[in-house]
Amino acid sequence: MNIYVGNLPYAVSDSDLRGLFEPFGSVTSATIIKDKFTGDSKGFGFVEMSDADAQAAIDNLNGTEFKGRSLTVNQARPKSDGPGGGGPRRGGPGGPGGGGRRSF
């Protein structure tokens, strides 16, 4: 099972994350998500474990404090295929950057 771990301190490493989950079973992978331009942590990550071990980890770690922050731990949801989050949309008549319609 793929587990989402949110509200992580920015100084946490992949090995710190792995160590947090290992008491609950074998960890297949533990990855902190980083900004692609700066390399800085985004404050969340993903851990992969067997389903039984993962559920025990979720039940025991969700809402607990880790290095001064209250963790959000739950089953990761698949990434949506829809448009990316945030950012302004550009183009199209009447939309931002589109300038609207003009009559001559």
Side-chain angles (χ1 to χ4, degrees), residues 1 12 18-19 23-24 30 41 44 48 55 59 63 65 68 76 88 92 104:
M1 177 186 298
V12 170
R18 177 179 289 275
F24 302 99
S41 168
F44 69 95
E48 288 187 49
Q55 193 57 56
D59 293 344
E65 189 173 306
F104 293 98

Side-chain angles (χ1 to χ4, degrees), residues 43-68:
F44 69 95
F46 295 94
V47 175
E48 288 187 49
M49 303 177 78
S50 72
D51 288 353
D53 294 341
Q55 193 57 56
I58 291 168
D59 293 344
N60 285 283
L61 292 175
N62 188 40
T64 61
E65 189 173 306
F66 181 62
K67 298 189 178 194

Side-chain angles (χ1 to χ4, degrees), residues 3-9 12 16-17 19-21 23-24 43 55-74:
I3 304 167
Y4 167 82
V5 187
N7 203 31
L8 287 167
V12 170
D16 293 333
L17 185 59
L20 179 65
F21 280 79
F24 302 99
Q55 193 57 56
I58 291 168
D59 293 344
N60 285 283
L61 292 175
N62 188 40
T64 61
E65 189 173 306
F66 181 62
K67 298 189 178 194
R69 308 230 14 206
S70 179
L71 298 177
T72 300
V73 182
N74 53 43

Side-chain angles (χ1 to χ4, degrees), residues 33-42:
I33 304 304
K34 297 181 180 177
D35 181 275
K36 65 181 174 181
F37 298 109
T38 66
D40 295 336
S41 168
K42 288 189 167 191

